[in-house]
Amino acid sequence: MVDTKDYYRILGVALYATENEIKSAYRKMAKKYHPDAHPGDRECERKFREINEAYGVLGDPSKRKRYDAENNRSKTRDSRPEVNYQNIYNRFNNMFGFQGNMGDMAQDGRTEQRDKNPLDTTEIFERFMGIKR
């Protein structure tokens, strides 16, 4: 039987959240809805049980993997967005209203620089993004 509860939504975490992110979200929510903090409040008790149930599944890697597979979530969780650095580079340069000078590729694979554009942001962009060449 497929579980219809969305444990990720209950804990307020992304499908690709790390174990530490899940644990942190659980602790924060458990503290917020703990029955001792809200004596006699049935809604908080219900929410607290739901949070514990969600963490019982998502906090255990094997149960989480099974839950994801049963609910067709594994592909989404395992595929973080791809970063297209060339697209970021182009947008970065376009912010300043010009195209930067990336240089031409030489036969041996080294980059030959043409006359350097004084407004070229290649070095700034690479330092900002942590790209080492």
Side-chain angles (χ1 to χ4, degrees), residues 59-88:
D60 181 320
S62 61
K63 289 180 183 178
R64 180 180 181 185
K65 188 174 184 176
R66 187 173 44 234
Y67 170 78
D68 287 343
E70 289 173 358
N71 292 283
N72 296 318
R73 296 177 193 270
S74 57
K75 288 183 182 176
T76 306
R77 191 192 79 197
D78 293 338
S79 58
R80 290 181 182 243
E82 291 288 326
V83 176
N84 182 343
Y85 289 105
Q86 185 61 42
N87 189 29
I88 295 172

Side-chain angles (χ1 to χ4, degrees), residues 5-51:
K5 289 187 180 181
D6 186 350
Y7 293 143
Y8 292 98
R9 183 189 54 74
I10 291 169
L11 291 180
V13 295
L15 295 172
Y16 49 83
T18 64
E19 288 180 42
N20 286 336
E21 290 169 332
I22 291 170
K23 183 186 271 185
S24 176
Y26 164 72
R27 287 181 174 174
K28 185 186 296 185
M29 293 189 76
K31 183 178 179 181
K32 180 179 179 180
Y33 292 103
H34 198 281
D36 289 348
H38 306 278
D41 187 338
R42 298 266 186 220
E43 183 60 25
C44 282
E45 289 177 20
R46 184 196 62 77
K47 185 75 172 167
F48 185 74
R49 280 193 304 274
E50 188 176 56
I51 292 165

